[in-house]
Amino acid sequence: MRDFYTQTQRKIQDEFGRRGLADRVEATIVDDELLEHHIAFISERNMFFLSTVDEEGFPSCSYKGGAPGFVRVINSRKVVFPNYDGNGMFMSQGNIEATNKVGLLFINFETPQRMRLRGESRLLREGPLLDSYP
């Protein structure tokens, strides 16, 4: 995995005297792979926020929802979720197709707890995973 923080993030951490705190947070809660408690947390959620970036570099954030378990963990480094098209704009899907960079934010509003995932994504247009969703 590349360095977790970018040079610019490090510069700002140093400017505000927070590099040590940022390093402790990374050491404590950042993992390269999904662990059992992460998988359970994702499986219990009925929604998440999806962040994507278009080909001009502009970000977008969308709500994605479904029954608990609609986001499936395939393995410790891969999740899959359906696109339930609501408004026909296909902003998230277009951005994924263009740049493949995503961020996912899962929240348990009752606890409160949250989990962030970031990585690369691709659209599936056919196959058994696609066929397994309503």
Side-chain angles (χ1 to χ4, degrees):
M1 185 171 108
R2 69 171 182 83
D3 289 338
F4 185 72
Y5 298 113
T6 66
Q7 288 181 343
T8 306
Q9 292 163 346
R10 285 298 200 185
K11 179 182 170 203
I12 295 172
Q13 291 167 5
D14 291 341
E15 179 182 344
F16 288 94
R18 294 294 192 255
R19 182 183 284 244
L21 175 60
D23 288 344
R24 285 190 300 279
V25 169
E26 179 187 1
T28 304
I29 66 171
V30 175
D31 292 296
D32 289 344
E33 297 185 275
L34 295 171
L35 306 175
E36 287 300 319
H37 66 280
H38 300 137
I39 295 168
F41 187 82
I42 291 169
S43 299
E44 295 166 358
R45 307 280 66 83
N46 66 354
M47 58 81 63
F48 70 97
F49 295 100
L50 175 65
S51 173
T52 59
V53 180
D54 70 18
E55 57 262 47
E56 296 179 14
F58 288 97
S60 180
C61 187
S62 299
Y63 165 90
K64 301 296 180 188
F70 83 107
V71 178
R72 299 179 193 163
V73 178
I74 303 301
N75 61 45
S76 65
R77 299 183 63 83
K78 189 182 293 186
V79 300
V80 64
F81 57 90
N83 171 50
Y84 295 131
D85 178 43
N87 58 20
M89 294 173 65
F90 291 95
M91 299 285 288
S92 299
Q93 290 73 20
N95 293 349
I96 289 170
E97 187 86 357
T99 66
N100 87 332
K101 302 294 186 214
V102 295
L104 289 73
L105 175 62
F106 296 90
I107 303 173
N108 180 339
F109 291 98
E110 295 172 4
T111 325
Q113 289 178 301
R114 65 189 177 279
M115 186 172 75
R116 295 179 183 100
L117 301 179
R118 66 179 183 179
E120 297 177 348
S121 183
R122 64 186 172 97
L123 302 179
L124 299 177
R125 290 184 169 86
E126 60 186 10
L129 280 173
L130 189 66
D131 295 340
S132 71
Y133 281 101

